């Protein structure tokens, strides 16, 4: 019997290396802010950001970490009663705070029954060595993945979207985290203003040189109430919003230029309809994945096919 070729490295298969059972991430909003919101580096946050777009109903700051996790467990348990969970510190910058306060939040999450690890989303300029040494110890006893918001490899783009850090900050943070033996991931947005298809394919090669294990990507979305939405109103010619077929072609080209062993966690994001201005493709994540896989088979495409060491 012929075995279907592996088109790309999927995140669920990656998790199976670490867990003999199904695991599900539960998103948390632990009440953090960001240095480009509170005045340390700037105000207003990233121009594209409205954190409501990725906070589930159970994920509210007035609820404790424990309460959010317990409600998240109820939300997911009907699918797989034997499921275990990863506490996903997702909203804003989850390493931005005083060390003892951070430790309390992480340890509270790990004390909840059936929570078997942490995923910590943060910025590359918010990982002091003191925290990294603490996480190095945590990593000896539990699953830990630190996920850095890279967003772009171009400093001009990072300035334009008010990130408040450079790509060199990303390189530094990733290398220090990996040196501590901690699984390290990255997140990028495809289609930020000023970046072409060629730029993004080149970005795939640049990211492949980083020692990251996982990568998330998603299309640029214009969200109500953001500075970028206002910029789009004023100068729509500065933006290129992908149609779904065009974006599928971009993602396939991107995947082909990525390092073959990178684990790809996602290709699209779905913001709530009431917040989304554009593009609205009406596709669930799994539907998009099926379309990507179908076209990759038609093209004979696979991850790393065009990767040049």
């Amino acid at each position: 019997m012929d075995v279907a070729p592996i088109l790309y490295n999927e995140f669920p298969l990656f998790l199976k290396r670490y867990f003999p059972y199904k695991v599900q991430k539960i998103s948390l909003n632990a009440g953090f802010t960001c240095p480009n919101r509170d005045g340390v580096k700037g105000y207003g946050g990233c121009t594209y950001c409205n954190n409501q777009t990725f906070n589930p109903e159970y994920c509210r700051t007035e609820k404790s970490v424990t309460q959010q996790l317990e409600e998240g467990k109820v939300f997911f348990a009907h699918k797989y009663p034997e499921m275990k969970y990863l506490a996903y510190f997702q909203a804003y910058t989850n390493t931005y705070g005083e060390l003892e306060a951070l430790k309390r939040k992480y340890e509270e999450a790990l004390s909840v029954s059936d929570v078997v690890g942490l995923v910590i989303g943060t910025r590359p300029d918010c990982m002091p060595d003191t925290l990294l040494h603490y996480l190095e110890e945590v990593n000896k006893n539990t699953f830990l993945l630190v996920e850095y918001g890279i967003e772009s490899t171009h400093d001009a783009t990072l300035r334009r979207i008010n990130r408040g850090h450079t790509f060199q900050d990303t390189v530094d943070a990733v290398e220090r985290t990996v040196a501590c033996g901690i699984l390290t991931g990255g997140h990028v947005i495809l289609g930020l203003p000023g970046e072409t298809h060629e730029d993004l394919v080149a970005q795939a090669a640049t990211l492949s040189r980083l020692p990251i294990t996982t990568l998330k990507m998603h299309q640029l979305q214009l969200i109500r109430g953001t500075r970028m939405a206002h910029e789009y109103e004023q100068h729509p010619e500065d933006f290129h919003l992908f149609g779904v077929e065009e974006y599928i072609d971009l993602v396939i080209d991107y995947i082909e230029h990525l390092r073959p062993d990178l684990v790809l966690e996602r290709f699209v994001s779905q913001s709530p309809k009431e917040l989304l201005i554009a593009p609205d493709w009406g596709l669930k994540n799994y539907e998009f994945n099926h379309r990507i896989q179908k076209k990759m088979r038609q093209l004979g495409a696979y991850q790393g096919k065009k990767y040049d060491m």
Side-chain angles (χ1 to χ4, degrees):
M1 189 172 100
D2 290 337
V3 178
I6 294 174
L7 302 175
Y8 56 83
N9 293 309
E10 296 185 73
F11 192 68
L13 291 176
F14 163 74
L15 288 177
K16 283 185 177 179
R17 298 181 210 164
Y18 297 90
F19 302 105
Y21 39 71
K22 285 194 175 289
V23 291
Q24 171 69 49
K25 286 194 291 187
I26 296 179
S27 294
L28 298 171
N29 187 336
F32 294 103
T33 183
C34 296
N36 61 347
R37 284 183 173 272
D38 66 6
V40 170
K41 289 198 167 183
Y43 293 98
C46 304
T47 61
Y48 55 80
C49 182
N50 179 337
N51 262 263
Q52 285 177 271
T53 59
F54 53 66
N55 279 349
E57 190 54 43
Y58 60 78
C59 189
R60 294 287 180 265
T61 50
E62 64 270 14
K63 298 175 181 177
S64 69
V65 167
T66 299
Q67 186 179 354
Q68 291 181 51
L69 285 168
E70 292 293 355
E71 291 183 17
K73 283 162 60 177
V74 170
F75 181 82
F76 289 112
H78 68 281
K79 279 186 177 179
Y80 301 101
E82 304 305 311
M83 183 95 76
K84 305 289 186 187
Y85 301 94
L86 300 174
Y88 181 19
F89 286 85
Q90 182 179 22
Y92 299 107
T93 304
N94 294 275
T95 59
Y96 187 50
E98 192 265 327
L99 180 60
E100 290 305 315
L102 293 171
K103 288 161 72 169
R104 282 194 297 273
K105 289 181 188 291
Y106 303 150
E107 287 165 17
E108 179 184 351
L110 289 171
S111 72
V112 173
S113 65
D114 294 329
V115 171
V116 293
L118 299 176
V119 180
I120 300 174
T122 190
R123 292 163 54 95
D125 57 345
C126 291
M127 186 56 82
D129 285 336
T130 50
L131 176 57
L132 202 49
H133 295 323
Y134 163 74
L135 292 175
E136 187 175 13
E137 293 305 308
V138 170
N139 187 53
K140 292 174 183 176
N141 300 306
T142 191
F143 179 89
L144 173 63
L145 171 64
V146 172
E147 181 184 287
Y148 287 110
I150 300 170
E151 314 316 355
S152 174
T153 56
H154 294 284
D155 285 346
T157 302
L158 295 172
R159 286 191 295 273
R160 179 166 183 171
I161 63 176
N162 196 40
R163 278 298 286 178
H165 68 78
T166 65
F167 180 61
Q168 186 55 45
D169 290 325
T170 294
V171 174
D172 173 65
V174 167
E175 289 180 346
R176 288 188 299 117
T177 307
V178 171
C180 290
I182 297 169
L183 289 170
T184 307
H187 174 275
V188 291
I189 300 172
L190 304 186
L192 289 166
E195 297 193 348
T196 65
H197 184 114
E198 291 71 25
D199 291 332
L200 293 169
V201 169
Q203 178 191 99
T206 302
L207 292 174
S208 293
R209 291 192 286 273
L210 291 177
I212 54 176
T213 298
T214 66
L215 180 65
K216 282 181 179 174
M217 63 193 87
H218 69 71
Q219 78 281 22
L220 176 66
Q221 298 178 102
L222 295 177
I223 307 299
R224 299 187 197 285
T226 61
R227 197 185 330 171
M228 188 172 281
H230 179 69
E231 291 171 1
Y232 179 70
E233 275 183 21
Q234 301 297 311
H235 296 285
E237 69 278 5
D238 289 352
F239 293 81
H240 180 81
L241 299 176
F242 291 103
V244 65
E245 290 301 328
E246 183 188 14
Y247 185 69
I248 285 171
D249 289 341
L250 169 66
V251 169
I252 291 172
D253 203 6
Y254 197 96
I255 291 170
E256 288 192 303
H257 284 84
L258 284 173
R259 200 175 73 230
D261 63 328
L262 258 175
V263 177
L264 307 184
E265 188 169 351
R266 106 182 159 196
F267 306 121
V268 288
S269 181
Q270 290 177 273
S271 295
K273 283 248 185 219
E274 65 274 15
L275 293 176
L276 180 63
I277 297 171
D280 184 3
W281 299 331
L283 286 175
K284 303 250 183 232
N285 284 5
Y286 75 89
E287 293 172 322
F288 185 87
N289 290 352
H290 288 165
R291 289 177 70 162
I292 282 272
Q293 291 163 7
K294 181 179 178 183
K295 187 148 192 184
M296 287 182 78
R297 290 190 187 97
Q298 289 171 348
L299 295 172
Y302 56 87
Q303 183 177 340
K305 183 177 182 179
K306 299 174 184 174
Y307 173 63
D308 184 3
M309 294 180 65

